[in-house]
Amino acid sequence: MSGASPSSVRIRSAFEHLAAALGDDGVLGPGSDLSAYEDPYAFAGSEDFRCSGAVLPRSVEEVQAVLAVANEHGIPLWTVSTGRNLGYGGAAPRVNGAIVLDMQRMNRILEVDEEHGYALVEPGVRFVDLYAYLREHRLKLWMSAPSLGWGSVLGNALERGIGYTPYGDHAAQICGLEVVLAIGDVVRTGMGALPGANTWQMYKGGYGPSLDGLFLQSNFGIVTKLGLWLMPQPAGLMSCVARFQRESDLEAAIDVLASLRRREIIQSNAQIGNVVREVAHRAPRSRWYDGPGAMPDEVIEEMRRDLGIGWWWLLRFGLYGDEELLDARFRIVQRAFSSIPGAEITGDKHLASGSDGLYACEVEGPPRRLAGVPGFFGLNLLKFRGDDCGHLDFSPIVAPSGREVTRVYELVKARAREHGIDYLAGFTASERHLTHIFPILYDKHDAEQTSNAAALLDTLIRELGKQGIGEYRAHLAFMDLIGEQYSFNRHALRRLNETLKDALDPNGILSPGKQGIWPAASRRQRAGTR
Ligand code: ADP
């Protein structure tokens, strides 16, 4: 799939130069254990994404030294921060033979400003590190973490990851970047371009075009510092759960939810999931079904009876602010959902007056993430198909209208069933859109299941693409296919991206193929163009 890879002579020579620049402990050359850079959830076709080694710089100067070697040898690099891009390829590169530029050793929290509510971090800072720092220094600031807290703050924000506090749109909290360009130049965006400015993490604009976005989900540069707004700790949090009894309640539930989000009555990303998705976090499917294909409807019913579950859809969200605000918001939310027969809603209030403020609500399970506490609850999902469960994420953006969501839900459900895959449906409601996240689970060692999983994703991308529905994020194997769907005016956007790519990275060394953007030197490797 990835075409020609660099010759072994060139790779050997590059590693000699890299070791001279970074020291032996900064390189993992051919022959080293490179398993950390493989996609942990390999499936049919993903064995093409193998690196020839990795480099682990400790400073901006070492990043520049790596770039010099890569430019000279014409060897592609694949940048990761901690490489936990689960469901999208992990730390594996798009191009066979690329060297992974692993930024995990640049892991300093450079600054946290409590008064102005921001942090400035390097790529290797993980959610768990930033959280530990905030707690250790007893700062009254909250971060926002995705469902798995092991990855990097920087990588996740660049990939437009989402969390569950009011600051859950991570990319929107970015304020100021430091970027090393392919040619080795170091750029600071926004106010960071002004020597001595103390507003780099306060004003996103600066003077002239806003360039932060150029480095999101991109292969235009290597981000070495990222400014991120943090949330002042609120006086209270109400952890809320709503349950809807019938499968057909989805339409009304989405309409009510979307309106509550748009009006900012619900201030954070709210997640609604079907019963299969919820149960998948609790127990392996083999408890109810071990047969071929997707779980039949009657088994799902049996599972619900068995677990005493009376609902079909479960919605989780938080409300934030002073106690009076929490109570008022909760009443409005209750009233809004009461239009749906049988809907039940509960709220669990946590006030900051406890001994350690709101962090008294650090219990296992979803409420933690509503307070931005990094956790690993999402990992439970991966036991649903046994110990060798792999997963691929299907992540289209859907308009927040009940009718549209129901239509998409029915379509995806039908395709999942045709491919023998259980449909774990989940929709995360942002202020103005829904992200439909469908973790496609399969047994990694079952050839039929892995190829069904890949075929299902392929089908969904193409079919929904024709209807104007596109994904926001993609596994390596599907980056080109998804890019293919964004085709307005004969791929004008791709042409613009590739014009920028060629100007910024003349030798085409930075993450070729990322997001379907290829440099001139390897453009022929775009899937389907050979
Ligand atoms: P995680 O933070 O979840 O471990 P990764 O480190 O794998 O995620 O990063 C996810 C993606 O973000 C990478 O595949 C890469 O495309 C991009 N990325 C990560 N770090 C950087 C960086 N320092 N500069 C530019 N892009 C990056």
Side-chain angles (χ1 to χ4, degrees):
M1 192 173 277
S2 52
S5 37
S7 77
S8 53
V9 178
R10 246 192 313 151
I11 288 172
R12 228 175 306 119
S13 162
F15 271 100
E16 277 164 27
H17 285 80
L18 290 167
L22 269 60
D24 284 339
D25 68 332
V27 298
L28 287 168
S32 312
D33 176 9
L34 298 172
S35 50
Y37 303 105
E38 286 169 12
D39 182 356
Y41 305 121
F43 57 92
S46 65
E47 62 280 0
D48 284 337
F49 309 116
R50 293 215 181 268
C51 66
S52 57
V55 283
L56 297 95
R58 272 161 299 214
S59 64
V60 167
E61 292 71 28
E62 289 195 354
V63 171
Q64 290 171 309
V66 171
L67 288 168
V69 175
N71 273 309
E72 204 179 297
H73 288 76
I75 293 190
L77 300 169
W78 183 261
T79 311
V80 300
S81 283
T82 52
R84 301 288 199 163
N85 202 7
L86 201 86
Y88 300 106
R94 170 68 184 85
V95 171
N96 241 351
I99 296 174
V100 176
L101 176 56
D102 180 344
M103 305 290 284
Q104 62 169 292
R105 293 207 297 185
M106 290 176 67
N107 61 358
R108 288 176 301 165
I109 296 171
L110 297 165
E111 189 187 355
V112 178
D113 186 317
E114 186 177 27
E115 184 185 357
H116 300 107
Y118 67 79
L120 182 67
V121 296
E122 290 188 327
V125 175
R126 300 167 303 168
F127 289 99
V128 286
D129 302 324
L130 184 57
Y131 178 70
Y133 183 99
L134 296 177
R135 302 278 48 82
E136 187 191 332
H137 294 86
R138 304 187 79 75
L139 300 178
K140 294 215 173 306
L141 291 175
W142 279 12
M143 41 180 269
S144 168
S147 60
L148 280 173
W150 59 11
S152 74
V153 173
L154 183 148
N156 182 271
L158 292 184
E159 280 294 293
R160 305 198 170 95
I162 47 182
Y164 304 92
T165 74
Y167 282 39
D169 177 354
H170 296 165
Q173 313 313 325
I174 295 176
C175 187
L177 301 176
E178 179 185 89
V179 185
V180 185
L181 300 178
I183 52 170
D185 216 4
V186 182
V187 178
R188 290 189 175 177
T189 63
M191 300 307 288
L194 181 67
N198 60 2
T199 47
W200 189 17
Q201 272 63 61
M202 296 177 194
Y203 180 52
K204 294 185 185 186
Y207 185 63
S210 299
L211 297 185
D212 284 7
L214 272 187
F215 302 100
L216 266 63
Q217 287 192 338
S218 103
N219 51 12
F220 297 160
I222 297 159
V223 180
T224 45
K225 292 183 181 64
L226 174 128
L228 193 76
W229 288 346
L230 301 176
M231 179 179 168
Q233 179 177 299
L237 155 67
M238 195 185 274
S239 156
C240 301
V241 176
R243 297 175 176 84
F244 306 99
Q245 287 182 358
R246 291 165 299 269
E247 193 175 7
S248 58
D249 286 338
L250 180 65
E251 180 170 341
I254 292 290
D255 282 334
V256 172
L257 174 61
S259 162
L260 291 168
R261 282 295 278 126
R262 251 188 319 270
R263 291 183 291 138
E264 295 183 29
I265 306 292
I266 295 179
Q267 307 129 287
S268 61
N269 287 336
Q271 203 180 47
I272 182 164
N274 69 356
V275 65
V276 185
R277 186 187 177 101
E278 282 301 322
V279 172
H281 283 91
R282 305 186 195 177
R285 82 203 278 276
S286 55
R287 196 165 137 191
W288 297 281
Y289 188 66
D290 221 0
M295 279 169 82
D297 285 340
E298 51 285 8
V299 175
I300 297 175
E301 281 311 317
E302 185 196 321
M303 186 178 80
R304 291 175 74 205
R305 272 197 306 277
D306 194 16
L307 293 172
I309 292 175
W311 42 267
W312 241 96
W313 296 98
L314 192 84
L315 169 69
R316 290 196 171 93
F317 59 93
L319 301 174
Y320 300 82
D322 295 279
E323 190 171 9
E324 300 91 308
L325 285 172
L326 295 183
D327 292 339
R329 287 180 193 280
F330 188 67
R331 274 198 304 277
I332 298 170
V333 171
Q334 252 182 334
R335 202 162 55 229
F337 282 120
S338 69
S339 61
I340 303 173
E344 277 172 27
I345 170 159
T346 55
D348 197 2
K349 222 177 338 181
H350 306 272
L351 299 176
S353 51
S355 59
D356 194 16
L358 277 183
Y359 288 93
C361 68
E362 283 181 29
V363 289
E364 269 309 316
R368 283 168 62 100
R369 69 184 194 186
L370 297 178
V373 183
F376 299 91
F377 182 70
L379 275 184
N380 294 343
L381 193 69
L382 291 179
K383 296 181 192 139
F384 191 53
R385 288 216 76 131
D387 291 340
D388 292 318
C389 184
H391 97 275
L392 267 175
D393 275 346
F394 174 57
S395 316
I397 300 298
V398 183
S401 122
R403 249 167 86 184
E404 172 74 343
V405 169
T406 304
R407 189 183 71 76
V408 170
Y409 169 74
E410 294 295 349
L411 189 155
V412 178
K413 185 176 163 186
R415 295 296 166 270
R417 185 143 294 179
E418 284 157 23
H419 288 78
I421 304 271
D422 297 318
Y423 185 23
L424 281 61
F427 296 88
T428 301
S430 299
E431 246 170 82
R432 298 281 170 160
H433 70 272
L434 297 177
T435 310
H436 173 32
I437 297 184
F438 170 17
I440 299 176
L441 303 183
Y442 51 91
D443 178 338
K444 286 195 289 187
H445 301 303
D446 182 321
E448 192 183 336
Q449 277 185 37
T450 57
S451 82
N452 282 348
L456 170 61
L457 190 48
D458 188 280
T459 300
L460 289 174
I461 292 166
R462 290 175 199 275
E463 190 166 351
L464 288 177
K466 286 199 192 98
Q467 301 175 11
I469 295 178
E471 290 67 50
Y472 91 102
R473 196 168 177 181
H475 185 279
L476 302 167
F478 297 90
M479 283 179 173
D480 286 335
L481 180 61
I482 292 174
E484 196 59 39
Q485 314 304 311
Y486 287 78
S487 62
F488 169 74
N489 188 17
R490 294 172 292 108
H491 284 284
L493 182 62
R494 190 163 78 192
R495 282 185 276 118
L496 171 60
N497 278 326
E498 293 187 343
T499 302
L500 292 170
K501 177 70 180 160
D502 292 341
L504 292 170
D505 181 9
N507 297 317
I509 54 161
L510 287 186
S511 302
K514 162 99 184 134
Q515 251 41 36
I517 300 169
W518 291 90
S522 49
R523 203 156 287 153
R524 288 188 61 253
Q525 293 187 42
R526 191 186 335 269
T529 58
R530 273 166 291 152

